[in-house]
Structures are given as C-alpha cells and as structure tokens.
Amino acid sequence: MPLPQPATFDEFMRLQHVAAINVSGADHSSWNGTYEVQPYALTDDGKLVLGSAGWDHTIRYEEARVLTPLRNMFRDAGQDVGDATLLQYREALAVVYHENLHMLAGPGTEHSDAKQDFRIDAVRALEEGVTESFGHETLDDYIDELQLDRVAPGIKNVVGLMAYERFTPAADTLAYELATLDRCDRFEMLRRLAVVNASGKWAVAAGVIADRYGLGAPHFAKERQFTERKITNAMWNQFGKLPGLSAVGSHQLFGRSAAIGRRAFEEGSAIAGQHFARRVSFGGVASPGRSTSGWGAYGARGGPPPSVNRRPGSPER
C-alpha cells in the first residue's frame, strides 16, 4: 500500500526516508529528520555536489538543482510542464532518493558507524556504486510509493543519466557474481547490499563467499571472522583501483570498472577456496552452503548487470 500522496513540498520532505525504507525493505533509516542546503562543493571529478548524507545524520541538498525544482513541482502540481521540466524534477528526486538510500542501516547499526571505514577508497566506491545502481533501478518504485506521478504527470516517462560511472559497473558485476554464488538474482543481491551501511556492504559480500565455502557453522566463528577479513582485504585491493579510472575514456570505463568488480569477486573467492582446501586436506568437514547474509524483505528483479550505465567526506551525489 503506497504512502499517502504528499500534497506539499514540506509533506514530501517529511516522508522522504519512509518511502526509501518501504521500497528497499530496509530495517530503518538513520536520517534525523533534518535537511539543510548543501554548501558549494565539487566532487573528485569536478562536478557540483548535489547532496550529501552527513555523519551527523543530516541530509544536505543543493538549492538550485534539487530543492527549487521540487518546490516548483508541488507548486505546479498536476500541470503539463513538458519533458525538460519533468527531467529536472526527476533528477532532483533521484538525488533525494540517493541520499536517503545512504542513510539506510541494518539492525543494531547506524549510517555513522561506517565513518572510519569510509576513509578507504574501496569502501566509498562500493557504497556509491551500489547506492547509485539500486537507486537508478528503483526510482520509479520510489515515485510510485509516494504517488508522485499524480503531482508531476509523465515523470516516469523521462529518464536521467546515472552518476558514479567509475563505480556502478564494478558494483553491479560484484552483485551479479555474488548472486550467482548464492543462487539468488542480481537485483536481490544488490538490494541486500543497499540496505546496510558502507561497512555492512562488505560484511554481506564477504559473508556470502564465506558461507559458500563452509564457514557457516557456529564452531567456525573465530575462523570465519579471520577468513572474512582476508576475503574483504582481497576485494578492497581491487575496488581501491576504481577512483583511478577517472581519466579513462568513457568508451572504456564500463568495461574496466566491470572487470575490477569481477576480479574482486575472484580474489575473494580464491581466499575462501584456499581455506576450503586446507580444511579438506586436514580432514575438515567443509560443506558449501547458501548465504544468509543481508537483511530486509525479498525483492524480485533479476538478470545480469545492465550495460548502461568522499574521506571521510559524507556520501554524496
């Protein structure tokens, strides 16, 4: 059942996080209910920062590209405004949804728990890649949840571009490989990664691989913790290369980023495979099993990664 359609900009802003929780099936949002104007800042690529999810759990939005279009959308509710204006609305909504996805967290955790890990390039890369990819795929669901197509008729008929071109192919590819290992679909794995904080995403990824190689039994708890850290470090070594792809031509960027995602999975799996081989050689009882990592309700959308397409600065867009 969708949320009540917000009649005003202020009502929409009060419901922004609830819709993100409902669409994703997350446990909760860390948003503190406060939003502010995003101070002028540029990304590593020299692009204007349109929003950020602060470690104080405040969300900040750029005035001209995000807040003003959304105020106009509610001021002109129900009117035929043309595709160019609808695209402005949709891209502003994409920023709001993106920042609210950053604020999602699993049971017993908060967004800010990942502040120190976010200093690591690999952690930031997966956080932004997963958030952007999941947000792009489910933006229409977010619009439906808030019934915003009644406010801006035709808003689902225009499509904006994805951001974080360096990170999304790698994140999508890693999600696809993990899903194949875990016998679920890519979208469900992407969702499981999206509903936890930046540190939790790596715990989910390493947990899937560790479970598959027989580390799920309670008596392997200490061994599992050590092996998962080695798996995570191996994958970090690959994802840490993604920021350096910024100078690569756009026609090569997708393939190189996707290759890094694939190598990260392969290297993490190789660590788990070495552990598996040692246990077998010493008479262990390894039994590859299915992962139970991740939280929230199941969402079904499958298929391979689509070929489309800060330190500790807050996650941003």
Side-chain angles (χ1 to χ4, degrees), residues 55-248:
W55 300 119
D56 60 355
H57 297 164
T58 296
I59 299 180
R60 295 167 178 87
Y61 297 120
E62 204 272 332
E63 180 68 54
R65 297 273 297 276
V66 181
L67 296 176
T68 296
L70 292 177
R71 289 192 184 97
N72 292 343
M73 183 177 78
F74 283 94
R75 182 197 65 194
D76 301 331
Q79 296 184 25
D80 183 2
V81 296
D83 286 352
T85 300
L86 285 173
L87 186 57
Q88 291 178 3
Y89 296 168
R90 186 179 179 93
E91 291 185 339
L93 282 171
V95 175
V96 170
Y97 186 35
H98 181 97
E99 302 311 331
N100 277 278
L101 289 175
H102 277 311
M103 286 292 182
L104 301 180
T109 68
E110 298 296 345
H111 167 68
S112 58
D113 294 342
K115 180 178 180 178
Q116 293 306 311
D117 281 350
F118 205 72
R119 296 173 182 270
I120 301 165
D121 283 341
V123 174
R124 175 175 169 255
L126 185 62
E127 172 67 20
E128 296 292 4
V130 166
T131 300
E132 182 66 12
S133 184
F134 183 80
H136 189 80
E137 288 197 35
T138 58
L139 182 56
D140 280 348
D141 299 327
Y142 188 71
I143 290 169
D144 288 343
E145 182 66 23
L146 290 158
Q147 304 183 65
L148 295 177
D149 53 333
R150 297 182 181 180
V151 178
I155 194 169
K156 291 167 62 178
N157 297 331
V158 293
V159 180
L161 298 176
M162 291 180 72
Y164 293 106
E165 298 91 343
R166 292 172 293 169
F167 303 155
T168 50
D172 267 336
T173 301
L174 179 61
Y176 177 69
E177 297 292 352
L178 291 170
T180 301
L181 187 65
D182 198 44
R183 304 184 185 96
C184 67
D185 63 63
R186 180 196 62 86
F187 178 80
E188 166 59 9
M189 185 58 65
L190 192 64
R191 188 200 66 80
R192 284 161 58 181
L193 293 167
V195 298
V196 294
N197 67 23
S199 301
K201 288 174 173 54
W202 289 103
V204 170
V208 168
I209 295 173
D211 281 350
R212 180 63 180 85
Y213 283 89
L215 279 169
H219 57 279
F220 289 128
K222 290 184 179 179
E223 186 178 0
R224 178 191 180 99
Q225 184 177 15
F226 174 74
T227 304
E228 281 193 7
R229 174 49 59 189
K230 291 184 67 175
I231 292 169
T232 299
N233 286 340
M235 292 192 288
W236 278 2
N237 287 338
Q238 289 299 319
F239 265 72
K241 300 174 183 178
L242 290 170
L245 296 182
S246 56
V248 177

Side-chain angles (χ1 to χ4, degrees), residues 38-51 62 65 124 164 166 310-311 313-314 316-317:
Q38 170 68 45
Y40 177 81
L42 298 177
T43 67
D44 295 345
D45 292 337
K47 298 176 182 177
L48 184 66
V49 174
L50 300 180
E62 204 272 332
R65 297 273 297 276
R124 175 175 169 255
Y164 293 106
R166 292 172 293 169
R310 294 175 188 189
R311 283 151 238 222
S314 302
E316 61 191 28
R317 191 179 195 275

